[in-house]
Amino acid sequence: MTLFIFAASLLGAMAVGMPIAFALMASSLALMWHLDLFQPQAMALQMLNGADSFALLAIPFFMLAGEAMNAGGLSRRLVHLGMALVGHVRGGLGYVAIVAAIFLASLSGSAVADTAALAAVLMPVMRQAGHDVPRAAGLMAAGGIIAPVIPPSIGYIVFGVAANTSITALFLAGVVPGILMGAALAITWAIVARRESSAVMPVMNGAERLAALRDAALALVLPALIIGGLKFGIFTPTEAAVVAAVYALFAGMVIYRELKPRDLPQVMLNAVRTSAAVMFLVAAASVSAYLITIADIPGEVRNLLEPFMGDRISLMLAIMLLVILVGTALDFIPTILILTPVLMPIVREAGIDPVYFGVLFILNCAIGLLTPPVGAVLNVVCAVARVRMGSVIRGVLPFLTSQVVVLLALTLMPWLVLGPLRWLR
């Protein structure tokens, strides 16, 4: 009954058009009333406590770093490097998009921002080269969701705080799955691009490739700096976010000189807007998480998953299916905030490594960005590429399938995550 009241109040509030943060607050009030714990002042206090976390300070700084990289020319240089490396092969622009998506993912951690940057730079070129536009748009969208999986990732920060799990370990564990997502996209693109008769870009000589590499070197140093600093304990994830922001601002303003002082207010405003939305969601969800624990909703979900509790692989498959279904209706961050307090007690009881679960959970939530009707990344691609939603959905299906296959492989073979994590640690 408690689970029904929570789900019905949340979905009902969303159905009438209430923003997700306020819908979470409405569901919390419904649970308070049901549990006879109606205390609005306690709700306000819990919201403050939920947002009062040192680890969450990483979010605005990583957002600022991403905005500075886009405005300062670092993102554009990475795309140009991808063109220099693989732009000349058959279907080369698709491989450029995949390589650039991995590069950008290691800088910003935002699927929406990365997708917008990729589509803005590459869609006009791919359209001019004769590529199937919906398929190219689908590739951009699928490449964009690598961002939440490869560190630094906003999703790992939110999950780590909500699940009380090491954010550093999550960052390190996400490297290999993110690369596997890129490899799966490359294989899928190689298959679907064979039917196209698109133009091939001219081959760049060694000097031009070296110049592109030299031009993008500063952008390539940043992910190595972050991962190396975390691995060797030089700084925490929050401190890494500050380093990334300062580095991006310095490179854009002093080295490349594309980021002008007059651009700083808009860059910071964009970062503040996104950060404020995420932090308000976190604050609202902290109340729901508190009441979910009191109401023992994890216990009710555990009873539903009881047939799978004896086998970890079966349990993980069941949980991943549940997350995929929820991800079709909810956006990325709300899915994390709502499901984490529900699923983590079950995961720990089953003896599943929290870091391994966290990586698969975030990957699954990222896939939700490609699934209608919400599909935030699909909406971004439609707006930037000026393609209808139905066409983009058709174009993204092969790439969405490949990402689901990666998720299934990681679920069935945990060593793909845990093995590299032990080495990186």
Side-chain angles (χ1 to χ4, degrees), residues 258-395:
E258 292 188 21
L259 181 60
K260 307 298 182 183
R262 64 175 179 271
D263 299 327
L264 285 179
Q266 187 61 48
V267 167
M268 293 186 177
L269 181 60
N270 291 341
V272 166
R273 282 174 175 167
T274 309
S275 301
V278 174
M279 293 301 293
F280 188 43
L281 274 171
V282 171
S286 66
V287 184
S288 298
Y290 171 71
L291 292 168
I292 282 170
T293 303
I294 292 178
D296 195 29
I297 289 179
E300 295 187 28
V301 176
R302 184 200 179 284
N303 292 335
L304 295 175
L305 296 174
E306 179 67 34
F308 308 101
M309 290 296 291
D311 181 71
R312 295 179 186 176
I313 299 296
S314 299
L315 177 62
M316 282 294 295
L317 290 172
I319 291 176
M320 291 300 108
L321 179 59
L322 171 64
V323 176
I324 286 178
L325 294 175
V326 173
T328 62
L330 292 180
D331 206 352
F332 181 71
I333 296 296
T335 303
I336 298 172
L337 293 171
I338 293 171
L339 291 184
T340 298
V342 174
L343 296 175
M344 281 310 296
I346 301 170
V347 168
R348 288 195 168 98
E349 181 184 346
I352 297 172
D353 189 299
V355 174
Y356 162 70
F357 171 76
V359 171
L360 266 65
F361 180 54
I362 295 300
L363 196 163
N364 201 332
C365 293
I367 289 174
L369 294 169
L370 295 179
T371 53
V374 177
V377 166
L378 295 181
N379 288 302
V380 170
V381 169
C382 289
V384 176
R386 299 178 183 176
V387 183
R388 288 184 297 181
M389 177 64 77
S391 299
V392 174
I393 292 174
R394 174 180 64 81

Side-chain angles (χ1 to χ4, degrees), residues 172-258:
L172 296 176
V175 175
V176 172
I179 294 173
L180 289 177
M181 292 174 70
L185 288 181
I187 294 171
T188 307
W189 177 254
I191 295 172
V192 300
R194 286 185 302 180
R195 297 192 294 267
E196 294 188 352
S197 56
S198 55
V200 178
M201 295 182 63
V203 180
M204 292 190 184
N205 58 41
E208 291 174 321
R209 292 180 182 178
L210 184 60
L213 178 60
R214 186 168 53 247
D215 200 30
L218 286 177
L220 294 173
V221 166
L222 184 55
L225 180 65
I226 293 174
I227 296 299
L230 292 173
K231 174 177 171 55
F232 295 107
I234 299 173
F235 40 64
T236 66
T238 303
E239 293 164 345
V242 177
V243 170
V246 173
Y247 185 97
L249 289 170
F250 179 80
M253 296 184 69
V254 179
I255 306 299
Y256 295 133
R257 299 183 181 180
E258 292 188 21

